[in-house]
């Protein structure tokens, strides 16, 4: 366990060194992140112009969802995406050989090869959005609500990571999954909206297949103090299921690895 | 140390005719064909041995190495490396071996090699003291110096290969599988890498199995060779014995003080090349004394050298025959 923590530290350090190696790039990256974060709020402005609530969500309440979306997007693009996009490349080129030669868990190793530290700015943006939203609402979240939302953030991270592992596992069967990874990012974008906005098939898909509702809407509801306990249970169960299922699929998939010839 | 019996690997590949129509068809219906990469190979390697693993492209060398390193699962047969079954990929096994691939690299591309060394140290759980010792030895032997502090992408191919070797040896593996470790390097860098590999073997008693298309590598490093062709073992034994069997002739080069007649040279041996002042002849090993004596007696010889035919020629003849050497 200590060894893994140390390996994670080395890789985080390496990514940070890399990010700061070119000072100019680093500053530009940070500025771009700020602009992106600002644009996260723009769709809400447009939709809420001229009406006070949508699908039971007022403007500041919907902002809380956006806050969670921003936070998770930062996690996805900063800590999950860079490494796992890399796996696709490693499988195609056959350099995954080196990972499999190491006496350590392969899933851990491929999941920690690269980080994008500049995405940490999303955490700051999300906090600003939360503060602004709750000032408009007029009162802060309860301690219980906050605790529940933090717990849900953990389950959301597990869900997101599990989904990614499932997507990446496909690479062992079809090799080129770049498009699949783009599709994943595109679908994730829908998580910026409260889940009650979606109806019919979309609602079912986004709850059970790609559980976007569990990722952003539930934590927001928890923060707003209106999360049903059954949703909390659903989230915990869902995260556990995805963790176990994705691990099983990964182990099976890695057995299919045939390595690229010399 | 290494024991391989009836090792076999088949790949399933899907086959289709060229053209768009065939490509479209193959989306719905695929025909699979089984390709034999390694077809029942057996050999044993003792601890500390240096063995060359030879064969033409596609002979199954890399596939065998990858099976021994646990990257590929054999279709049939058994492999044991220091008592471990490679396919299980146990930590204890992985800590004893290393596979070095000349055509692929594990160093972090944008960071100095020292970062990769430290990362490997942590993965292999090498105690700090042992790590420092190993690194200072490797730094001396490979003359790494300041290289390890430059970003990998700024290193030349040869410098990178040196650092690749160092990164691969951080945990002092007892068994080394080397797949074309000198590919693409210039002659002097090849010699450096070769000398280093030999030193590593002698210093740590490591077992070596090496593939290379450069016969100089094999001649310099491996007293014993295993030859496979189309997945079958065709020779396993001493390198010298192989040369003697494939080419029972020695190669003799004569230099003359003045132009001589081709007809005068012909009786001495089989002419490989001839240009008036110099002749290169193949002479049967048992007739060598007699041939040299005759040449000295009948021709104006100023200089002569006797050598084995180049290993490249021996190998291409062996591969062309495509059959087992008794």
């Amino acid at each position: 366990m200590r060894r893994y923590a140390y390996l994670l530290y080395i890789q985080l350090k390496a990514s940070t060194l890399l990010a700061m190696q070119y000072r100019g790039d680093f500053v530009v990256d940070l500025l771009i992140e700020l602009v992106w974060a600002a644009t996260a709020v723009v769709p809400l402005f447009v939709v809420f112009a001229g009406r006070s609530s949508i699908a039971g969500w007022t403007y500041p309440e919907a902002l809380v969802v956006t806050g969670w979306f921003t936070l998770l997007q930062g996690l996805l693009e900063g800590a999950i995406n860079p490494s796992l996009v890399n796996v696709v490349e490693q499988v195609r080129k056959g350099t995954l050989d080196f990972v499999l030669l190491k006496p350590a868990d392969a899933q851990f190793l491929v999941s920690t090869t690269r980080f994008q530290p500049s995405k940490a700015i999303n955490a700051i943006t999300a906090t600003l959005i939360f503060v602004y939203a709750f000032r408009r609402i007029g009162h802060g979240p309860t301690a219980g609500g906050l605790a529940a939302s933090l717990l849900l953030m953990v389950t959301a991270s597990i869900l997101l990571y599990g989904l990614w592992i499932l997507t990446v596992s496909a690479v062992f069967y079809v090799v080129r999954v770049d498009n699949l990874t783009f599709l994943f990012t595109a679908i994730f974008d829908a998580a910026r909206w409260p889940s009650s906005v979606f109806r019919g098939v979309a609602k079912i898909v986004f709850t059970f297949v790609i559980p976007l509702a569990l990722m952003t809407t539930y934590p927001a509801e928890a923060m707003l103090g209106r999360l049903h306990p059954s949703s909390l249970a659903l989230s915990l169960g869902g995260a556990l299921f995805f963790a176990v299922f994705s691990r099983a699929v990964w182990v099976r998939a890695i057995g299919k690895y045939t390595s690229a010839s010399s | 140390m290494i024991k391989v019996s009836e090792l076999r690997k088949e790949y399933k590949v899907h086959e289709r005719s060229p053209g768009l129509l065939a490509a479209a068809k193959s989306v719905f219906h695929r025909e699979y064909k089984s390709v034999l990469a390694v077809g029942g190979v057996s050999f044993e390697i003792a601890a500390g041995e240096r063995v060359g693993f030879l064969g033409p492209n596609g002979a199954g060398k890399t596939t065998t190495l990858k099976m021994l390193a646990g990257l590929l699962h054999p279709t049939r047969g058994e492999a044991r490396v220091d008592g471990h079954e490679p396919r299980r990929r146990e930590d204890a096994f992985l800590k004893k071996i290393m596979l070095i691939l000349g055509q692929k690299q594990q160093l972090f591309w944008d960071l100095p090699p020292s970062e990769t060394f430290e990362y490997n140290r942590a993965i292999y759980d090498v105690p700090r003291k042992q790590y420092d010792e190993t690194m200072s030895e490797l730094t001396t032997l490979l003359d790494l110096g300041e290289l390890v502090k430059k970003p990998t992408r700024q290193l030349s191919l040869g410098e990178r290969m040196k650092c690749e070797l160092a990164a691969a040896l951080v945990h002092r593996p007892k068994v080394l599988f080397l797949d074309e470790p000198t590919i693409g390097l210039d002659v002097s860098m090849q010699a450096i890498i070769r000398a280093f590999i030999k030193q590593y073997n002698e210093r740590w008693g490591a077992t070596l199995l090496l593939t290379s298309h450069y016969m100089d590598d094999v001649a310099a490093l491996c007293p014993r060779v295993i030859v496979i062709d189309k997945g079958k073992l065709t020779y396993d034994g001493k390198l010298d014995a192989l040369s003697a069997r494939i080419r029972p002739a020695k190669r003799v080069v004569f230099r003359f003080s003045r132009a001589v007649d081709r007809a005068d040279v012909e009786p001495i041996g089989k002419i490989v090349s001839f240009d008036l002042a110099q002749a290169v002849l193949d002479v049967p090993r048992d007739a060598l004394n007699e041939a040299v004596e005759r040449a000295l007696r009948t021709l104006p010889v100023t200089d002569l050298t006797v050598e084995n035919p180049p290993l490249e020629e021996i190998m291409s003849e062996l591969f062309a025959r495509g059959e087992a050497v008794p």
Side-chain angles (χ1 to χ4, degrees):
Chain A
M1 205 56 215
R2 261 187 60 202
R3 181 166 64 120
Y4 284 105
Y6 184 62
L7 286 173
L8 182 64
Y9 160 75
I10 291 184
Q11 289 290 34
L12 268 172
K13 193 184 79 177
S15 292
T16 313
L17 283 178
L18 199 57
M20 292 191 298
Q21 200 165 18
Y22 305 100
R23 248 190 322 181
D25 287 15
F26 189 59
V27 173
V28 171
D29 268 0
L30 283 180
L31 287 176
I32 291 175
E33 293 313 325
L34 276 175
V35 173
W36 270 116
T39 59
V41 191
V42 170
L44 282 190
F45 273 129
V46 177
V47 171
F48 278 93
R51 51 187 127 178
S52 59
S53 88
I54 286 168
W57 293 77
T58 64
Y59 174 58
E61 286 167 353
L63 264 182
V64 177
V65 176
T66 307
W68 281 104
F69 171 74
T70 309
L71 198 60
L72 274 179
Q73 194 185 35
L75 185 82
L76 178 68
E77 292 178 359
I80 300 178
N81 239 342
S83 289
L84 294 179
V85 166
N86 207 15
V87 182
V88 179
E89 199 55 21
Q90 287 184 314
V91 170
R92 211 168 55 75
K93 284 190 186 161
T95 43
L96 196 72
D97 287 353
F98 289 118
V99 175
L100 297 179
L101 282 171
K102 301 267 153 60
D105 186 69
Q107 187 181 342
F108 174 84
L109 292 182
V110 299
S111 303
T112 54
T113 51
R114 209 172 285 171
F115 298 90
Q116 192 111 36
S118 62
K119 298 285 175 187
I121 201 115
N122 280 35
I124 299 168
T125 322
T127 312
L128 291 177
I129 293 175
F130 289 144
V131 169
Y132 175 73
F134 278 98
R135 285 187 64 156
R136 293 234 0 198
I137 292 168
H139 62 84
T142 62
L146 201 61
S149 66
L150 287 175
L151 179 64
L152 285 171
M153 192 188 80
V154 175
T155 62
S157 314
I158 295 173
L159 277 172
L160 205 52
Y161 175 66
L163 274 174
W164 241 126
I165 286 289
L166 287 175
T167 311
V168 166
S169 295
V171 81
F172 295 99
Y173 298 92
V174 291
V175 179
R176 292 305 294 252
V177 291
D178 313 35
N179 298 330
L180 215 56
T181 63
F182 285 127
L183 181 71
F184 183 85
T185 319
I187 291 175
F188 179 72
D189 206 53
R192 68 167 74 235
W193 304 103
S195 63
S196 56
V197 165
F198 300 104
R199 304 253 170 246
V201 180
K203 188 182 172 73
I204 293 168
V205 169
F206 288 159
T207 307
F208 295 106
V209 185
I210 305 163
L212 296 180
L214 274 63
M215 293 180 199
T216 54
T217 305
Y218 286 7
E221 283 180 336
M223 235 180 172
L224 294 166
R226 63 188 202 203
L227 182 78
H228 200 273
S230 67
S231 301
L232 187 64
L234 180 67
S235 279
L236 289 172
L240 190 68
F241 170 77
F242 265 92
V244 172
F245 180 62
S246 64
R247 174 71 186 179
V249 169
W250 164 266
V251 168
R252 236 188 110 74
I254 200 103
K256 292 279 287 186
Y257 176 63
T258 50
S259 177
S261 68
S262 55
Chain B
M1 181 56 90
I2 300 175
K3 189 166 189 244
V4 172
S5 49
E6 288 301 316
L7 200 64
R8 189 179 173 90
K9 178 72 187 174
E10 289 164 19
Y11 287 108
K12 248 189 194 161
V13 292
H14 100 264
E15 254 203 344
R16 63 173 169 82
S17 330
L20 200 57
L21 192 66
K25 264 190 200 162
S26 82
V27 172
F28 300 102
H29 176 76
R30 296 207 158 183
E31 280 182 8
Y32 286 95
K33 198 179 101 171
S34 164
V35 173
L36 187 69
V38 179
V41 169
S42 307
F43 57 83
E44 270 183 59
I45 296 175
E49 251 193 297
R50 295 190 304 265
V51 178
F53 199 33
L54 307 176
N57 286 327
K61 302 184 298 282
T62 305
T63 303
T64 307
L65 285 192
K66 284 185 177 172
M67 283 193 280
L68 288 175
L71 290 176
L72 295 176
H73 293 190
T75 314
R76 231 176 300 152
E78 204 191 4
R80 291 258 164 199
V81 177
D82 201 17
H84 299 273
E85 205 183 329
R87 62 183 294 172
R88 302 168 70 96
R89 300 224 323 269
E90 297 151 317
D91 283 0
F93 165 72
L94 294 172
K95 283 183 178 182
K96 284 180 192 167
I97 65 143
M98 191 59 205
L99 171 66
I100 294 168
L101 302 158
Q103 315 214 40
K104 287 176 198 162
Q105 58 148 6
Q106 66 161 327
L107 296 172
F108 300 145
W109 186 245
D110 292 295
L111 294 171
S114 54
E115 298 286 335
T116 309
F117 301 162
E118 175 60 22
Y119 183 66
N120 281 355
R121 185 199 72 77
I123 286 189
Y124 286 101
D125 234 346
V126 181
R128 180 66 68 180
K129 188 163 165 282
Q130 185 192 326
Y131 171 78
D132 290 341
E133 276 171 25
T134 311
M135 285 329 291
S136 84
E137 275 197 39
L138 292 175
T139 305
T140 319
L141 286 176
L142 286 166
D143 192 19
L144 295 178
E146 295 297 299
L147 289 184
V148 300
K149 292 180 193 153
K150 279 206 276 181
T152 302
R153 66 189 144 74
Q154 288 175 12
L155 301 177
S156 73
L157 186 61
E159 292 171 336
R160 219 158 67 211
M161 195 60 220
K162 283 187 187 180
C163 294
E164 281 290 334
L165 278 172
L169 302 176
V170 164
H171 62 295
R172 285 188 201 160
K174 283 165 72 179
V175 180
L176 270 187
F177 303 111
L178 300 127
D179 193 22
E180 315 237 6
T182 55
I183 196 155
L185 302 180
D186 67 44
V187 180
S188 69
M189 191 55 83
Q190 281 180 27
I192 292 171
I193 300 288
R194 240 174 254 148
F196 170 74
I197 292 172
K198 195 168 178 183
Q199 271 171 319
Y200 183 82
N201 156 266
E202 283 161 359
R203 173 79 173 81
W204 301 107
T207 312
L208 248 63
L209 185 58
L210 164 137
T211 78
S212 180
H213 285 292
Y214 298 120
M215 289 306 144
D216 290 345
D217 283 355
V218 179
L221 282 174
C222 307
R224 175 182 164 198
V225 292
I226 294 174
V227 183
I228 64 168
D229 196 0
K230 300 188 190 77
K232 294 269 182 211
L233 197 128
T234 52
Y235 179 79
D236 180 356
K238 286 225 157 64
L239 183 60
D240 308 342
L242 178 67
S243 314
R245 220 161 301 168
I246 296 285
R247 281 282 177 87
K250 284 272 187 186
R251 183 151 291 182
V252 189
V253 181
F254 294 102
R255 273 186 202 82
F256 308 117
S257 55
R258 54 179 167 78
V260 298
D261 243 6
R262 195 183 168 100
D264 295 333
V265 178
E266 261 166 0
I268 295 165
K270 189 167 161 262
I271 295 178
V272 178
S273 72
F274 176 74
D275 70 355
L276 300 176
Q278 179 176 310
V280 180
L281 307 178
D282 273 350
V283 179
R285 285 164 200 259
D286 46 13
L288 190 63
N289 280 344
E290 200 185 315
V292 170
E293 197 190 331
R294 176 168 182 168
L296 291 174
R297 191 152 35 79
T298 58
L299 294 164
V301 178
T302 56
D303 185 24
L304 83 95
T305 53
V306 180
E307 54 200 34
N308 282 319
L311 209 46
E312 268 84 4
E313 280 183 26
I314 292 175
M315 284 302 149
S316 51
E317 194 170 325
L318 179 64
F319 298 158
R321 284 189 194 176
E323 60 191 40
V325 180

